[in-house]
Amino acid sequence: MDELLAPLQDAFEGQIDFHGQRLAEILSTVLLIISGAVSFVVGYIYKDIHLTLWIGLAGTLFTGLAVIPPWPIYNQNPERWLNSTDGKANTPRVLVDGVKVA
């Protein structure tokens, strides 16, 4: 059963790296500014507040679709973590007041 659920868990877990977080933040800011500006200009030209709101809503939904799912582009630089040593002899020791602490 774990073999079947592992791919689904990976898909819904939403892992992105630090560079992906920055890219998602920049992308969301730029897309929201562009959609806001376009909706304002179109609404001003056509003198229609409903059109302005619908274009703004469509831009917000598009932005959400672009940045909320964990697309693979957001996880291209994963962090390399150190392996656990499980208390073996090569575990680094810390000295606290002259006493070795795990």
Side-chain angles (χ1 to χ4, degrees):
M1 190 67 171
D2 287 339
E3 299 87 26
L4 297 175
L5 294 178
L8 288 175
Q9 183 180 6
D10 288 341
F12 287 111
E13 197 170 72
Q15 291 186 0
I16 64 174
D17 56 27
F18 295 118
H19 297 284
Q21 288 176 354
R22 180 163 184 199
L23 176 63
E25 180 185 356
I26 291 170
L27 189 62
S28 67
T29 302
V30 168
L31 288 176
L32 286 174
I33 288 172
I34 289 172
S35 68
V38 167
S39 67
F40 176 77
V41 169
V42 170
Y44 184 77
I45 290 172
Y46 287 104
K47 307 281 192 240
D48 187 3
I49 189 70
H50 289 98
L51 184 60
T52 302
L53 294 175
W54 281 111
I55 292 173
L57 178 64
T60 303
L61 291 176
F62 177 74
T63 302
L65 181 64
V67 298
I68 292 175
W71 299 110
I73 193 170
Y74 299 136
N75 198 16
Q76 291 183 349
N77 303 305
E79 289 293 322
R80 309 261 189 276
W81 299 99
L82 296 176
N83 290 334
S84 166
T85 57
D86 295 330
K88 299 206 166 100
N90 59 357
T91 302
R93 298 287 182 180
V94 178
L95 287 175
V96 176
D97 294 331
V99 178
K100 287 186 178 180
V101 183

Coordinates of all heavy atoms in Angstrom, one line a residue:
M1 N 0.8 -1.2 0.0 CA 0.0 0.0 0.0 C 0.9 1.3 0.0 O 0.5 2.3 -0.6 CB -0.9 0.0 1.2 CG -2.0 1.0 1.2 SD -3.1 0.7 -0.1 CE -4.3 1.8 0.2
D2 N 2.0 1.2 0.7 CA 2.9 2.4 0.7 C 3.4 2.7 -0.7 O 3.7 3.9 -1.0 CB 4.1 2.1 1.7 CG 3.6 2.2 3.1 OD1 2.6 2.8 3.4 OD2 4.3 1.6 4.0
E3 N 3.6 1.7 -1.5 CA 4.1 1.9 -2.9 C 3.1 2.7 -3.7 O 3.5 3.5 -4.6 CB 4.5 0.6 -3.6 CG 5.5 -0.2 -2.9 CD 4.9 -1.2 -1.9 OE1 3.8 -1.5 -2.0 OE2 5.7 -1.5 -0.9
L4 N 1.8 2.5 -3.4 CA 0.8 3.2 -4.1 C 0.6 4.6 -3.6 O 0.3 5.6 -4.4 CB -0.5 2.5 -4.0 CG -0.6 1.1 -4.7 CD1 -1.9 0.4 -4.4 CD2 -0.3 1.2 -6.1
L5 N 0.8 4.8 -2.3 CA 0.5 6.1 -1.7 C 1.7 7.1 -1.8 O 1.6 8.3 -1.7 CB 0.1 6.0 -0.3 CG -1.3 5.3 -0.1 CD1 -1.6 5.2 1.4 CD2 -2.4 6.1 -0.8
A6 N 2.9 6.5 -2.0 CA 4.1 7.4 -2.0 C 4.1 8.4 -3.1 O 4.4 9.6 -2.8 CB 5.4 6.5 -2.0
P7 N 3.8 8.1 -4.3 CA 3.8 9.1 -5.4 C 2.7 10.2 -5.1 O 2.9 11.4 -5.3 CB 3.4 8.4 -6.6 CG 3.8 7.0 -6.4 CD 3.6 6.7 -4.9
L8 N 1.6 9.8 -4.5 CA 0.5 10.8 -4.2 C 1.0 11.7 -3.1 O 0.7 12.9 -3.1 CB -0.8 10.1 -3.8 CG -1.5 9.4 -5.0 CD1 -2.7 8.6 -4.4 CD2 -2.0 10.4 -6.0
Q9 N 1.6 11.1 -2.1 CA 2.1 11.9 -1.0 C 3.2 12.9 -1.5 O 3.1 14.1 -1.1 CB 2.7 11.0 0.1 CG 3.2 11.8 1.3 CD 3.7 10.9 2.4 OE1 3.9 9.7 2.2 NE2 4.0 11.4 3.5
D10 N 4.0 12.5 -2.4 CA 5.1 13.4 -2.9 C 4.4 14.5 -3.7 O 4.9 15.7 -3.7 CB 6.0 12.6 -3.8 CG 7.0 11.7 -3.0 OD1 7.1 12.0 -1.8 OD2 7.6 10.8 -3.6
A11 N 3.3 14.2 -4.4 CA 2.7 15.2 -5.2 C 1.9 16.2 -4.4 O 2.0 17.4 -4.7 CB 1.7 14.6 -6.2
F12 N 1.3 15.8 -3.3 CA 0.6 16.7 -2.4 C 1.4 17.3 -1.3 O 0.9 18.3 -0.7 CB -0.6 16.0 -1.8 CG -1.7 15.7 -2.8 CD1 -2.0 14.5 -3.2 CD2 -2.5 16.8 -3.4 CE1 -3.0 14.2 -4.1 CE2 -3.5 16.5 -4.3 CZ -3.7 15.2 -4.7
E13 N 2.6 16.8 -1.1 CA 3.4 17.4 0.0 C 3.9 18.8 -0.3 O 4.0 19.6 0.6 CB 4.6 16.4 0.2 CG 5.3 16.7 1.6 CD 6.2 15.6 1.9 OE1 7.3 15.6 1.2 OE2 6.0 14.8 2.7
G14 N 4.1 19.1 -1.5 CA 4.5 20.4 -1.9 C 5.9 20.9 -1.6 O 6.0 22.0 -1.0
Q15 N 6.9 20.1 -1.9 CA 8.2 20.5 -1.6 C 8.8 21.4 -2.6 O 8.8 21.1 -3.8 CB 9.1 19.2 -1.4 CG 8.8 18.4 -0.2 CD 9.8 17.3 0.0 OE1 10.7 17.1 -0.8 NE2 9.6 16.5 1.0
I16 N 9.2 22.6 -2.2 CA 10.0 23.5 -3.0 C 11.2 23.9 -2.3 O 11.2 23.9 -1.1 CB 9.1 24.7 -3.5 CG1 8.7 25.6 -2.4 CG2 7.9 24.2 -4.3 CD1 8.0 26.8 -2.8
D17 N 12.2 24.3 -3.0 CA 13.4 24.8 -2.4 C 13.4 26.3 -2.1 O 12.5 27.0 -2.4 CB 14.7 24.3 -3.2 CG 14.6 24.8 -4.6 OD1 14.0 25.9 -4.8 OD2 15.2 24.2 -5.5
F18 N 14.5 26.8 -1.6 CA 14.6 28.2 -1.2 C 14.6 29.1 -2.5 O 13.9 30.1 -2.5 CB 15.8 28.5 -0.4 CG 15.8 27.8 0.9 CD1 16.7 26.9 1.3 CD2 14.8 28.1 1.8 CE1 16.7 26.3 2.5 CE2 14.8 27.5 3.1 CZ 15.7 26.6 3.4
H19 N 15.3 28.6 -3.5 CA 15.2 29.4 -4.8 C 13.8 29.3 -5.4 O 13.4 30.3 -6.0 CB 16.3 28.8 -5.8 CG 17.7 28.9 -5.3 ND1 18.4 30.0 -5.3 CD2 18.5 27.9 -4.8 CE1 19.6 29.8 -4.8 NE2 19.7 28.5 -4.5
G20 N 13.2 28.2 -5.3 CA 11.8 28.1 -5.8 C 10.8 29.0 -5.0 O 9.9 29.6 -5.6
Q21 N 11.0 29.2 -3.7 CA 10.2 30.1 -2.9 C 10.4 31.5 -3.4 O 9.4 32.3 -3.5 CB 10.6 30.0 -1.5 CG 10.1 28.7 -0.8 CD 10.6 28.6 0.6 OE1 11.3 29.5 1.1 NE2 10.1 27.6 1.3
R22 N 11.6 31.9 -3.7 CA 11.9 33.2 -4.1 C 11.3 33.5 -5.5 O 10.7 34.5 -5.8 CB 13.4 33.5 -4.2 CG 13.7 34.9 -4.7 CD 15.1 35.3 -4.4 NE 15.1 36.7 -4.8 CZ 16.2 37.4 -5.1 NH1 17.4 36.8 -4.8 NH2 16.2 38.6 -5.5
L23 N 11.4 32.5 -6.4 CA 10.9 32.6 -7.7 C 9.3 32.7 -7.7 O 8.7 33.5 -8.4 CB 11.3 31.4 -8.6 CG 10.7 31.3 -10.0 CD1 11.1 32.5 -10.8 CD2 11.0 30.0 -10.6
A24 N 8.7 31.9 -6.8 CA 7.3 32.0 -6.6 C 6.8 33.4 -6.1 O 5.8 33.9 -6.5 CB 6.8 30.9 -5.7
E25 N 7.6 33.9 -5.2 CA 7.2 35.2 -4.6 C 7.4 36.3 -5.7 O 6.5 37.2 -5.9 CB 8.2 35.5 -3.5 CG 7.9 36.9 -2.8 CD 8.9 37.3 -1.8 OE1 9.7 36.4 -1.4 OE2 8.8 38.4 -1.3
I26 N 8.5 36.3 -6.5 CA 8.7 37.3 -7.5 C 7.6 37.1 -8.6 O 7.0 38.1 -9.1 CB 10.1 37.2 -8.1 CG1 11.1 37.6 -7.1 CG2 10.2 38.0 -9.4 CD1 12.5 37.3 -7.5
L27 N 7.3 35.9 -9.0 CA 6.3 35.6 -10.0 C 4.9 36.1 -9.6 O 4.2 36.7 -10.4 CB 6.3 34.2 -10.4 CG 5.5 33.7 -11.6 CD1 6.0 34.4 -12.8 CD2 5.6 32.2 -11.7
S28 N 4.6 35.8 -8.3 CA 3.2 36.3 -7.9 C 3.1 37.8 -7.8 O 2.1 38.3 -8.2 CB 2.9 35.6 -6.5 OG 3.8 36.2 -5.5
T29 N 4.2 38.4 -7.4 CA 4.2 39.9 -7.3 C 4.0 40.5 -8.7 O 3.2 41.4 -9.0 CB 5.4 40.4 -6.6 OG1 5.5 39.9 -5.3 CG2 5.4 41.9 -6.5
V30 N 4.8 40.0 -9.6 CA 4.8 40.6 -11.0 C 3.5 40.3 -11.7 O 2.9 41.2 -12.3 CB 6.0 40.0 -11.8 CG1 5.8 40.3 -13.3 CG2 7.3 40.5 -11.3
L31 N 3.0 39.1 -11.6 CA 1.7 38.7 -12.2 C 0.5 39.5 -11.6 O -0.4 40.0 -12.4 CB 1.4 37.2 -12.1 CG 2.3 36.3 -13.0 CD1 2.0 34.9 -12.7 CD2 2.1 36.7 -14.4
L32 N 0.5 39.7 -10.3 CA -0.6 40.5 -9.7 C -0.5 42.0 -10.1 O -1.5 42.6 -10.3 CB -0.5 40.4 -8.2 CG -1.0 39.0 -7.7 CD1 -0.8 38.9 -6.2 CD2 -2.5 38.8 -8.0
I33 N 0.7 42.5 -10.2 CA 0.9 43.9 -10.6 C 0.4 44.1 -12.1 O -0.3 45.0 -12.4 CB 2.3 44.4 -10.5 CG1 2.6 44.6 -9.0 CG2 2.6 45.7 -11.2 CD1 4.1 44.9 -8.7
I34 N 0.8 43.1 -12.9 CA 0.4 43.2 -14.4 C -1.1 43.1 -14.5 O -1.7 43.9 -15.2 CB 1.2 42.2 -15.2 CG1 2.6 42.5 -15.3 CG2 0.6 42.0 -16.6 CD1 3.5 41.5 -15.9
S35 N -1.7 42.1 -13.8 CA -3.1 41.9 -13.9 C -3.9 43.1 -13.4 O -4.9 43.5 -13.9 CB -3.6 40.6 -13.3 OG -3.4 40.7 -11.9
G36 N -3.4 43.7 -12.3 CA -4.0 44.9 -11.7 C -3.9 46.1 -12.7 O -4.9 46.8 -12.9
A37 N -2.8 46.3 -13.3 CA -2.6 47.4 -14.2 C -3.5 47.2 -15.5 O -4.1 48.1 -15.9 CB -1.2 47.5 -14.6
V38 N -3.5 45.9 -16.0 CA -4.3 45.7 -17.2 C -5.8 45.9 -16.9 O -6.5 46.5 -17.7 CB -4.0 44.3 -17.7 CG1 -5.0 43.8 -18.8 CG2 -2.6 44.2 -18.3
S39 N -6.2 45.4 -15.7 CA -7.7 45.5 -15.4 C -8.0 47.0 -15.2 O -9.1 47.4 -15.6 CB -8.0 44.7 -14.2 OG -7.4 45.2 -13.0
F40 N -7.1 47.7 -14.6 CA -7.4 49.2 -14.4 C -7.5 49.9 -15.7 O -8.4 50.7 -16.0 CB -6.3 49.8 -13.5 CG -6.5 51.3 -13.4 CD1 -7.5 51.8 -12.5 CD2 -5.7 52.2 -14.1 CE1 -7.6 53.2 -12.4 CE2 -5.9 53.5 -14.0 CZ -6.8 54.0 -13.1
V41 N -6.5 49.6 -16.6 CA -6.5 50.3 -17.9 C -7.7 49.9 -18.8 O -8.4 50.8 -19.3 CB -5.2 50.0 -18.7 CG1 -5.3 50.5 -20.1 CG2 -4.0 50.7 -18.0
V42 N -8.1 48.7 -18.8 CA -9.2 48.2 -19.6 C -10.5 48.8 -19.0 O -11.4 49.2 -19.7 CB -9.3 46.7 -19.7 CG1 -10.6 46.2 -20.3 CG2 -8.1 46.2 -20.5
G43 N -10.6 48.7 -17.7 CA -11.8 49.3 -17.0 C -11.9 50.8 -17.3 O -13.0 51.3 -17.4
Y44 N -10.8 51.5 -17.3 CA -10.8 52.9 -17.5 C -11.2 53.3 -19.0 O -12.0 54.2 -19.2 CB -9.5 53.5 -17.2 CG -9.4 55.0 -17.3 CD1 -9.9 55.8 -16.3 CD2 -8.8 55.6 -18.4 CE1 -9.9 57.2 -16.4 CE2 -8.8 57.0 -18.6 CZ -9.3 57.8 -17.5 OH -9.3 59.2 -17.7
I45 N -10.7 52.5 -19.9 CA -11.0 52.7 -21.3 C -12.5 52.5 -21.6 O -13.2 53.2 -22.2 CB -10.1 51.9 -22.2 CG1 -8.7 52.4 -22.2 CG2 -10.6 51.9 -23.7 CD1 -7.7 51.5 -22.9
Y46 N -13.0 51.3 -21.1 CA -14.4 51.0 -21.3 C -15.4 51.5 -20.3 O -16.6 51.3 -20.5 CB -14.5 49.4 -21.4 CG -13.9 48.9 -22.7 CD1 -12.7 48.2 -22.6 CD2 -14.6 49.0 -23.9 CE1 -12.1 47.7 -23.7 CE2 -14.0 48.4 -25.0 CZ -12.8 47.8 -24.9 OH -12.2 47.3 -26.1
K47 N -14.9 52.2 -19.3 CA -15.7 52.8 -18.2 C -16.7 51.7 -17.6 O -17.9 52.0 -17.5 CB -16.5 53.9 -18.8 CG -15.7 55.0 -19.5 CD -15.1 55.9 -18.5 CE -14.5 57.1 -19.2 NZ -13.1 57.3 -19.1
D48 N -16.1 50.5 -17.3 CA -16.9 49.4 -16.8 C -16.2 48.8 -15.6 O -15.2 48.1 -15.8 CB -17.1 48.4 -18.0 CG -18.1 47.3 -17.6 OD1 -18.7 47.3 -16.5 OD2 -18.2 46.4 -18.4
I49 N -16.8 49.0 -14.4 CA -16.2 48.5 -13.2 C -16.3 46.9 -13.2 O -15.5 46.3 -12.6 CB -16.9 49.1 -12.0 CG1 -16.1 48.7 -10.7 CG2 -18.3 48.7 -11.8 CD1 -14.7 49.3 -10.6
H50 N -17.4 46.4 -13.7 CA -17.6 44.9 -13.7 C -16.5 44.3 -14.5 O -15.9 43.2 -14.2 CB -18.9 44.5 -14.3 CG -20.0 44.9 -13.3 ND1 -20.8 46.0 -13.5 CD2 -20.5 44.2 -12.2 CE1 -21.7 46.0 -12.5 NE2 -21.5 45.0 -11.7
L51 N -16.1 44.8 -15.7 CA -15.0 44.3 -16.5 C -13.7 44.4 -15.8 O -12.9 43.5 -15.8 CB -15.0 45.1 -17.8 CG -14.0 44.6 -18.8 CD1 -14.2 43.2 -19.2 CD2 -14.0 45.5 -20.1
T52 N -13.5 45.5 -15.1 CA -12.3 45.7 -14.3 C -12.2 44.6 -13.2 O -11.1 44.0 -13.0 CB -12.3 47.0 -13.6 OG1 -12.4 48.1 -14.6 CG2 -11.1 47.3 -12.8
L53 N -13.3 44.3 -12.5 CA -13.3 43.3 -11.5 C -13.1 41.9 -12.0 O -12.4 41.1 -11.4 CB -14.5 43.4 -10.6 CG -14.7 44.7 -9.8 CD1 -16.0 44.7 -9.1 CD2 -13.6 44.8 -8.8
W54 N -13.7 41.6 -13.2 CA -13.5 40.3 -13.7 C -12.1 40.0 -14.2 O -11.6 38.9 -14.1 CB -14.6 40.1 -14.9 CG -15.9 39.7 -14.4 CD1 -17.0 40.5 -14.4 CD2 -16.3 38.5 -13.7 NE1 -18.1 39.9 -13.8 CE2 -17.7 38.6 -13.3 CE3 -15.6 37.4 -13.3 CZ2 -18.4 37.6 -12.7 CZ3 -16.3 36.4 -12.6 CH2 -17.7 36.5 -12.3
I55 N -11.5 41.0 -14.9 CA -10.1 40.9 -15.3 C -9.2 40.8 -14.1 O -8.3 39.9 -14.1 CB -9.7 42.1 -16.2 CG1 -10.5 42.0 -17.5 CG2 -8.2 42.1 -16.5 CD1 -10.3 43.3 -18.4
G56 N -9.4 41.5 -13.1 CA -8.6 41.4 -11.9 C -8.8 40.0 -11.2 O -7.8 39.4 -10.7
L57 N -10.0 39.5 -11.2 CA -10.2 38.2 -10.6 C -9.6 37.1 -11.5 O -8.9 36.2 -11.0 CB -11.7 37.9 -10.6 CG -12.1 36.5 -10.0 CD1 -11.7 36.3 -8.6 CD2 -13.6 36.3 -10.2
A58 N -9.6 37.2 -12.8 CA -9.0 36.3 -13.7 C -7.5 36.3 -13.5 O -6.8 35.3 -13.5 CB -9.4 36.6 -15.1
G59 N -6.9 37.5 -13.4 CA -5.5 37.6 -13.1 C -5.1 37.0 -11.8 O -4.0 36.3 -11.7
T60 N -5.9 37.2 -10.8 CA -5.6 36.6 -9.5 C -5.7 35.1 -9.5 O -4.8 34.4 -9.0 CB -6.6 37.1 -8.4 OG1 -6.5 38.6 -8.4 CG2 -6.3 36.6 -7.0
L61 N -6.7 34.5 -10.2 CA -6.8 33.1 -10.3 C -5.6 32.5 -11.1 O -5.1 31.4 -10.8 CB -8.1 32.7 -11.0 CG -9.4 33.0 -10.1 CD1 -10.6 32.7 -10.9 CD2 -9.3 32.2 -8.8
F62 N -5.2 33.2 -12.2 CA -4.1 32.7 -13.0 C -2.8 32.7 -12.2 O -2.0 31.8 -12.2 CB -3.9 33.6 -14.2 CG -2.7 33.2 -15.1 CD1 -2.7 32.1 -15.8 CD2 -1.6 34.0 -15.0 CE1 -1.6 31.7 -16.6 CE2 -0.5 33.7 -15.8 CZ -0.5 32.5 -16.6
T63 N -2.6 33.8 -11.4 CA -1.5 33.9 -10.5 C -1.5 32.7 -9.5 O -0.4 32.1 -9.2 CB -1.4 35.2 -9.8 OG1 -1.4 36.3 -10.7 CG2 -0.2 35.3 -8.9
G64 N -2.6 32.5 -8.9 CA -2.7 31.3 -8.0 C -2.4 30.0 -8.6 O -1.7 29.2 -8.0
L65 N -2.9 29.8 -9.8 CA -2.6 28.6 -10.6 C -1.1 28.5 -10.9 O -0.5 27.4 -10.9 CB -3.4 28.5 -11.9 CG -3.2 27.3 -12.7 CD1 -3.7 26.0 -12.0 CD2 -3.9 27.4 -14.0
A66 N -0.4 29.6 -11.1 CA 1.0 29.6 -11.4 C 1.9 29.4 -10.2 O 3.0 28.8 -10.3 CB 1.4 30.9 -12.1
V67 N 1.5 29.8 -9.0 CA 2.4 29.8 -7.9 C 2.0 28.8 -6.7 O 2.8 28.5 -5.9 CB 2.7 31.2 -7.3 CG1 3.3 32.1 -8.3 CG2 1.4 31.8 -6.7
I68 N 0.7 28.4 -6.6 CA 0.3 27.6 -5.5 C 0.7 26.1 -5.7 O 1.3 25.6 -4.7 CB -1.2 27.8 -5.2 CG1 -1.5 29.2 -4.7 CG2 -1.7 26.7 -4.2 CD1 -2.9 29.5 -4.5
P69 N 0.5 25.5 -6.8 CA 0.9 24.1 -6.9 C 2.4 24.0 -6.9 O 3.1 24.9 -7.3 CB 0.4 23.6 -8.3 CG -0.7 24.6 -8.6 CD -0.3 25.9 -8.0
P70 N 3.0 22.9 -6.3 CA 4.4 22.7 -6.3 C 5.0 22.2 -7.6 O 5.4 21.1 -7.8 CB 4.6 21.7 -5.2 CG 3.4 20.9 -5.3 CD 2.3 21.8 -5.6
W71 N 5.0 23.1 -8.6 CA 5.5 22.8 -9.9 C 7.0 22.4 -9.8 O 7.7 22.9 -9.0 CB 5.4 24.0 -10.9 CG 4.0 24.4 -11.1 CD1 3.4 25.6 -10.7 CD2 2.9 23.7 -11.8 NE1 2.1 25.6 -11.0 CE2 1.8 24.5 -11.7 CE3 2.9 22.5 -12.5 CZ2 0.6 24.2 -12.3 CZ3 1.6 22.1 -13.0 CH2 0.5 22.9 -13.0
P72 N 7.5 21.5 -10.7 CA 8.9 21.0 -10.6 C 9.9 22.2 -10.8 O 11.0 22.1 -10.3 CB 9.0 20.0 -11.8 CG 7.6 19.6 -12.0 CD 6.7 20.7 -11.7
I73 N 9.5 23.3 -11.4 CA 10.4 24.4 -11.6 C 10.8 25.0 -10.3 O 11.9 25.6 -10.1 CB 9.8 25.4 -12.6 CG1 10.9 26.4 -13.0 CG2 8.7 26.2 -11.9 CD1 10.5 27.3 -14.1
Y74 N 10.0 24.8 -9.3 CA 10.2 25.4 -7.9 C 11.1 24.5 -7.1 O 11.4 24.8 -5.9 CB 8.9 25.6 -7.2 CG 8.0 26.6 -7.9 CD1 6.7 26.4 -8.0 CD2 8.5 27.8 -8.4 CE1 5.8 27.3 -8.6 CE2 7.7 28.7 -9.1 CZ 6.4 28.5 -9.1 OH 5.5 29.4 -9.8
N75 N 11.5 23.3 -7.6 CA 12.4 22.4 -6.8 C 13.6 22.0 -7.6 O 13.9 20.8 -7.6 CB 11.5 21.2 -6.3 CG 12.2 20.5 -5.2 OD1 13.1 21.0 -4.5 ND2 11.8 19.3 -4.9
Q76 N 14.2 22.9 -8.3 CA 15.4 22.5 -9.1 C 16.7 22.5 -8.3 O 17.7 22.0 -8.8 CB 15.5 23.4 -10.3 CG 14.4 23.2 -11.3 CD 14.5 24.1 -12.5 OE1 15.4 25.0 -12.5 NE2 13.7 23.8 -13.5
N77 N 16.7 23.2 -7.1 CA 17.9 23.3 -6.3 C 17.7 22.8 -4.9 O 17.7 23.5 -3.9 CB 18.4 24.7 -6.3 CG 18.7 25.3 -7.6 OD1 19.4 24.7 -8.4 ND2 18.0 26.4 -7.9
P78 N 17.4 21.5 -4.7 CA 17.1 21.0 -3.4 C 18.3 21.1 -2.5 O 19.5 21.0 -2.9 CB 16.7 19.5 -3.6 CG 17.3 19.1 -4.9 CD 17.4 20.4 -5.7
E79 N 18.1 21.2 -1.2 CA 19.2 21.3 -0.2 C 19.7 19.9 0.1 O 19.0 18.9 0.1 CB 18.7 21.9 1.1 CG 18.3 23.3 1.0 CD 19.6 24.2 0.8 OE1 20.6 23.9 1.4 OE2 19.5 25.2 0.1
R80 N 21.0 19.8 0.2 CA 21.7 18.6 0.6 C 21.9 18.5 2.1 O 22.6 19.4 2.6 CB 23.0 18.5 -0.1 CG 23.0 18.7 -1.6 CD 23.0 17.4 -2.4 NE 23.2 17.7 -3.8 CZ 22.2 18.0 -4.7 NH1 21.0 18.2 -4.2 NH2 22.5 18.1 -6.0
W81 N 21.2 17.6 2.8 CA 21.3 17.6 4.2 C 22.3 16.5 4.6 O 22.6 15.6 3.9 CB 19.9 17.2 4.8 CG 18.9 18.2 4.5 CD1 17.9 18.1 3.5 CD2 18.6 19.4 5.1 NE1 17.1 19.2 3.5 CE2 17.6 20.1 4.5 CE3 19.3 20.1 6.2 CZ2 17.1 21.3 4.9 CZ3 18.8 21.3 6.6 CH2 17.7 21.9 5.9
L82 N 22.9 16.7 5.8 CA 23.9 15.8 6.3 C 23.1 14.5 6.8 O 22.0 14.6 7.3 CB 24.7 16.4 7.5 CG 25.5 17.6 7.1 CD1 26.2 18.1 8.4 CD2 26.6 17.2 6.1
N83 N 23.8 13.4 6.6 CA 23.2 12.1 7.1 C 23.3 12.0 8.6 O 24.2 12.5 9.2 CB 23.9 10.9 6.5 CG 23.6 10.8 5.0 OD1 22.6 11.3 4.5 ND2 24.6 10.2 4.3
S84 N 22.3 11.4 9.2 CA 22.3 11.1 10.6 C 23.3 10.0 10.9 O 23.5 9.1 10.2 CB 20.9 10.7 11.0 OG 20.9 10.2 12.3
T85 N 24.0 10.1 12.1 CA 24.9 9.1 12.5 C 24.4 8.2 13.5 O 25.0 7.2 13.9 CB 26.2 9.7 13.0 OG1 25.9 10.6 14.1 CG2 26.9 10.5 11.9
D86 N 23.2 8.4 14.1 CA 22.5 7.6 15.1 C 23.4 7.3 16.3 O 23.5 6.2 16.8 CB 22.1 6.3 14.4 CG 21.0 6.5 13.4 OD1 20.3 7.5 13.5 OD2 20.9 5.7 12.4
G87 N 24.1 8.3 16.8 CA 24.9 8.2 18.0 C 26.1 7.3 17.9 O 26.6 6.7 18.8
K88 N 26.7 7.2 16.7 CA 27.9 6.4 16.5 C 29.1 7.1 17.0 O 29.1 8.3 17.5 CB 28.1 6.1 15.0 CG 26.9 5.3 14.5 CD 27.3 4.4 13.4 CE 26.2 3.4 13.1 NZ 25.3 3.5 12.2
A89 N 30.3 6.5 17.0 CA 31.5 7.0 17.6 C 32.0 8.3 16.9 O 32.6 9.1 17.5 CB 32.6 6.0 17.5
N90 N 31.6 8.5 15.6 CA 32.0 9.8 15.0 C 31.1 10.9 15.1 O 31.1 11.9 14.4 CB 32.3 9.5 13.5 CG 31.0 9.0 12.8 OD1 30.0 8.8 13.4 ND2 31.1 8.8 11.5
T91 N 30.2 10.8 16.1 CA 29.2 11.9 16.4 C 30.0 13.1 17.0 O 30.8 12.9 17.9 CB 28.2 11.4 17.4 OG1 27.5 10.3 16.9 CG2 27.2 12.5 17.7
P92 N 29.8 14.3 16.4 CA 30.5 15.4 17.0 C 30.1 15.7 18.4 O 28.9 15.5 18.8 CB 30.1 16.6 16.1 CG 28.9 16.1 15.3 CD 28.9 14.6 15.3
R93 N 31.0 16.0 19.2 CA 30.8 16.3 20.7 C 30.8 17.8 20.9 O 31.6 18.5 20.2 CB 31.8 15.6 21.5 CG 31.8 14.1 21.5 CD 30.6 13.6 22.2 NE 30.6 12.1 22.1 CZ 29.7 11.4 22.6 NH1 28.7 12.0 23.3 NH2 29.7 10.1 22.6
V94 N 30.0 18.3 21.8 CA 30.0 19.7 22.2 C 30.4 19.8 23.6 O 30.0 19.0 24.5 CB 28.5 20.2 22.0 CG1 28.5 21.7 22.5 CG2 28.1 20.1 20.6
L95 N 31.3 20.7 23.9 CA 31.8 21.0 25.3 C 30.9 22.1 25.9 O 30.8 23.2 25.4 CB 33.2 21.4 25.3 CG 34.2 20.3 25.0 CD1 35.6 20.9 24.9 CD2 34.2 19.2 26.0
V96 N 30.3 21.7 27.0 CA 29.6 22.7 27.8 C 30.2 22.7 29.2 O 30.1 21.7 29.9 CB 28.1 22.4 27.9 CG1 27.3 23.3 28.7 CG2 27.5 22.3 26.5
D97 N 30.8 23.8 29.6 CA 31.5 23.9 30.9 C 32.4 22.8 31.1 O 32.5 22.3 32.2 CB 30.5 24.0 32.0 CG 29.6 25.3 32.0 OD1 30.1 26.3 31.5 OD2 28.4 25.2 32.4
G98 N 33.2 22.4 30.1 CA 34.2 21.4 30.2 C 33.6 20.0 30.2 O 34.4 19.0 30.3
V99 N 32.3 19.8 30.0 CA 31.7 18.4 30.0 C 31.2 18.2 28.5 O 30.6 19.0 27.9 CB 30.5 18.4 30.9 CG1 29.8 17.0 30.8 CG2 30.9 18.7 32.3
K100 N 31.6 17.0 28.0 CA 31.2 16.6 26.6 C 29.7 16.2 26.7 O 29.2 15.4 27.4 CB 32.0 15.4 26.1 CG 33.4 15.7 25.8 CD 34.1 14.6 25.2 CE 35.5 15.0 24.8 NZ 36.2 13.9 24.2
V101 N 29.0 16.9 25.8 CA 27.5 16.6 25.6 C 27.3 16.1 24.2 O 27.9 16.6 23.2 CB 26.7 17.9 25.9 CG1 25.2 17.7 25.8 CG2 27.1 18.5 27.2
A102 N 26.4 15.2 24.0 CA 26.1 14.6 22.7 C 25.7 15.7 21.8 O 26.0 15.9 20.7 CB 25.0 13.6 22.8

